[in-house]
Amino acid sequence: MQAGEAWGRRWTENSLPMARAFMEAACRKKSLVCLAADRSTMAELNHLIDEVGPHLAALKTHVDLVDDWTPEAWSAFCSKATAADLLIFEDRKFADIGGISRKQMSGVYDIRSWADLVTAHLISGPDIVDGLQAGWEDVGRNGGVLLLAQMSSRGNLLNPAYTAQVVALGKTHPGVFGFIGNGSRPEELKLLRQAVGDGKLIWTPGVNLEVGDGEMGQRYGDPREAVLAGSDCIIVGSGIHKAENPALQAEAYAKASWSAFNERLK
Ligand code: 5BU
């Protein structure tokens, strides 16, 4: 099935190049899984991609938690991810004013040069999206911003009124790829999807085949329920990278997400 047919209104109502690149990748890989690659050495990161790359549509990084980071090793790792047909998503959670966010896209990590997607809080106002987009323009690249509309962690301060404002400001901004929603609570996710409509994607952390509480206030919901509630991509970390057999688990998440996506189409 062509990506446009599979994604329906999510495709026709969203012309951001990076959003369509994701929708196409998901169809090629038959997976709505983004791996949260929270490993702290380059060797572990490289090994993980070799193991699970075929089952993923995207790769989420926290570049600042790698102990032995070097520009050369990171560049080789990004090439490996691209060769595995993965979009690269730096979960940087930018939050500063627009001009500083633009500068933070460069610096030592030079996020603008390798990330296709980044996260941002909208706490400082909508100019942050323009700042981040300007960061990509500075190096002649395209990218997309995922705004945090909800979070998965217990006690977070993103209340429904705040979520509504993030959605209202973000849904008409062309630089916004989509929103982060809470994968651990399908009922919250349904409300978010209603508010967002079909014009933007929703990606969800807080997803695990074992539903319940995680470490330090993390909460987990079921992948199928998250997709049926309106998630377009499930972000899975420890459910895959801490598994005894990460490849088998990644395949299980890919299958769960893809069959729920097909169920949602009917
Ligand atoms: P986990 O191992 O599946 O719990 O990892 C979740 C990842 O998603 C981790 O990298 C977090 O930084 C990220 N995350 C999250 O857990 N919850 C949120 O609300 C946001 C990001 Br935004």
Side-chain angles (χ1 to χ4, degrees):
M1 201 192 298
Q2 295 292 310
E5 201 184 327
W7 287 92
R9 291 178 58 190
R10 300 270 213 285
W11 178 272
T12 50
E13 293 188 21
N14 194 331
S15 56
L16 187 76
M18 202 51 78
R20 292 200 166 173
F22 166 70
M23 290 187 258
E24 285 173 335
C27 288
R28 278 194 301 275
K29 306 290 281 289
K30 293 193 168 30
S31 170
L32 301 187
V33 178
C34 172
L35 171 71
D38 297 332
R39 289 260 174 103
S40 46
T41 66
M42 290 308 313
E44 288 171 326
L45 283 167
N46 282 310
H47 183 57
L48 192 56
I49 295 301
D50 287 338
E51 274 186 299
V52 306
H55 308 297
L56 312 176
L59 170 73
K60 187 175 90 60
T61 55
H62 281 302
V63 66
D64 52 355
L65 58 75
V66 182
D67 295 330
D68 55 351
W69 189 91
T70 62
E72 296 74 28
W74 192 256
S75 170
F77 171 65
C78 290
S79 300
K80 188 191 272 289
T82 305
D85 197 11
L86 303 174
L87 291 185
I88 306 177
F89 165 26
E90 170 59 21
D91 189 7
R92 169 64 177 71
K93 301 184 182 74
F94 289 95
D96 214 314
I97 58 171
I100 293 299
S101 298
R102 178 186 195 166
K103 289 186 178 178
Q104 288 173 322
M105 285 287 270
S106 56
V108 171
Y109 293 124
D110 204 25
I111 293 170
R112 61 189 182 173
S113 295
W114 48 266
D116 301 308
L117 299 165
V118 297
T119 36
H121 285 286
L122 209 57
I123 194 79
S124 60
D127 290 281
I128 190 168
V129 180
D130 300 312
L132 295 170
Q133 284 294 345
W136 277 304
E137 277 161 31
D138 290 339
V139 289
R141 294 186 75 239
N142 273 318
V145 178
L146 276 154
L147 292 175
L148 277 79
Q150 297 176 335
M151 289 192 75
S152 64
S153 46
R154 139 181 108 192
N156 72 72
L157 305 182
L158 283 63
N159 63 28
Y162 177 82
T163 299
Q165 291 193 64
V166 171
V167 171
L169 286 166
K171 75 193 258 192
T172 55
H173 197 303
V176 173
F177 173 94
F179 298 94
I180 294 291
N182 176 7
S184 77
R185 295 290 181 275
E187 61 285 5
E188 283 179 24
L189 211 45
K190 275 186 201 152
L191 295 174
L192 180 64
R193 175 50 76 192
Q194 274 170 21
V196 169
D198 283 311
K200 300 286 183 192
L201 298 168
I202 297 178
W203 286 29
T204 54
V207 171
N208 199 296
L209 285 164
E210 274 180 41
V211 171
D213 289 341
E215 274 177 13
M216 297 189 134
Q218 176 68 300
R219 301 173 296 183
Y220 292 116
D222 177 68
R224 174 174 170 271
E225 283 186 36
V227 173
L228 293 180
S231 168
D232 300 310
C233 182
I234 53 167
I235 298 171
V236 183
S238 39
I240 294 174
H241 67 76
K242 283 199 180 151
E244 216 164 284
N245 187 332
L248 265 185
Q249 274 309 91
E251 189 180 7
Y253 280 96
K255 282 191 174 152
S257 66
W258 193 248
S259 70
F261 179 62
N262 282 295
E263 201 179 319
R264 191 172 86 188
L265 285 179
K266 286 175 197 150

